Amino acid sequence: MLKKDTGIANEARVPAFRIAILTASDKGSRGEREDKSAAVIREMVADLGEVVAYAVVPDERRLLAAKLREFCDVVGADLVLTTGGTGFSPRDVTPEATRDVIEREVPGLPEAMRAAGLKITPQAMLSRAVAGIRGKTLIINLPGSPKGVRENLAAILPALPHGLAILKGEAGECGQA
């Protein structure tokens, strides 16, 4: 029996995607803070695919970039969602680490997240989040707070199944009937 097409991956329409979550947090990496943002991500992407990798690393550009490469090149994730490290603090280096590993930027995703966030708070314009492609993996930076993750991911989640299917070569190009 076919499930209702919700726009989210399901067995009847789109194959499940392999998802990795990377949390950038000095305190989290030392076990001093519970990673509530990753829990929100897991909940929100449950219909999109399976979380196949998860890590919490300190806010260190080199370590973040190495883990991103591992998730893309070794684990073979289709989607890597990062949380944390997108603000103005000197330790917030997730966008820089992401740019170190991506081959092509996808500016529309962070633009959509900021636009949706601006409807809620003017602080949304302070996000330095980026998104991009490495090989056949899409990497997206999300904020570090559970509320920010929920709001930002909700803004882009409807577009992800189609974009990921195109990236994997399993769907037609955008705009084709």
Side-chain angles (χ1 to χ4, degrees):
M1 178 172 159
L2 290 179
K3 292 183 180 179
K4 179 182 174 193
D5 186 4
T6 61
I8 302 297
N10 62 49
E11 304 81 37
R13 304 220 183 258
V14 181
F17 298 104
R18 296 171 51 83
I19 302 164
I21 301 170
L22 178 59
T23 299
S25 171
D26 290 330
K27 289 181 180 180
S29 69
R30 294 189 302 260
E32 298 171 3
R33 177 182 291 157
E34 181 184 352
D35 187 5
K36 295 179 181 178
S37 295
V40 172
I41 293 171
R42 281 181 188 275
E43 169 197 321
M44 292 185 72
V45 301
D47 288 337
L48 187 61
E50 177 187 1
V51 175
V52 296
Y54 165 73
V56 180
V57 298
D59 292 289
E60 296 286 343
R61 184 173 177 169
R62 179 184 53 79
L63 295 174
L64 287 163
K67 191 55 74 173
L68 287 170
R69 285 185 191 98
E70 176 187 331
F71 284 173
C72 296
D73 304 343
V74 179
V75 173
D78 301 309
L79 174 64
V80 178
L81 296 169
T82 71
T83 177
T86 61
F88 282 15
S89 165
R91 301 279 301 154
D92 289 337
V93 294
T94 303
E96 289 74 21
T98 302
R99 284 191 178 103
D100 288 346
V101 304
I102 61 173
E103 297 154 350
R104 299 182 287 159
E105 283 203 42
V106 182
L109 293 171
E111 288 169 4
M113 292 187 301
R114 283 186 277 271
L118 280 170
K119 295 175 183 174
I120 300 165
T121 176
Q123 281 79 3
M125 70 179 76
L126 302 177
S127 171
R128 298 182 319 104
V130 299
I133 296 167
R134 177 181 178 87
K136 291 188 179 251
T137 304
L138 176 61
I139 302 170
I140 304 170
N141 299 156
L142 296 168
S145 74
K147 181 179 184 292
V149 164
R150 189 170 301 284
E151 292 167 357
N152 281 256
L153 195 49
I156 62 169
L157 197 55
L160 293 183
H162 183 66
L164 291 169
I166 290 173
L167 188 58
K168 289 181 68 172
E170 297 172 353
E173 294 298 320
C174 297
Q176 291 184 350

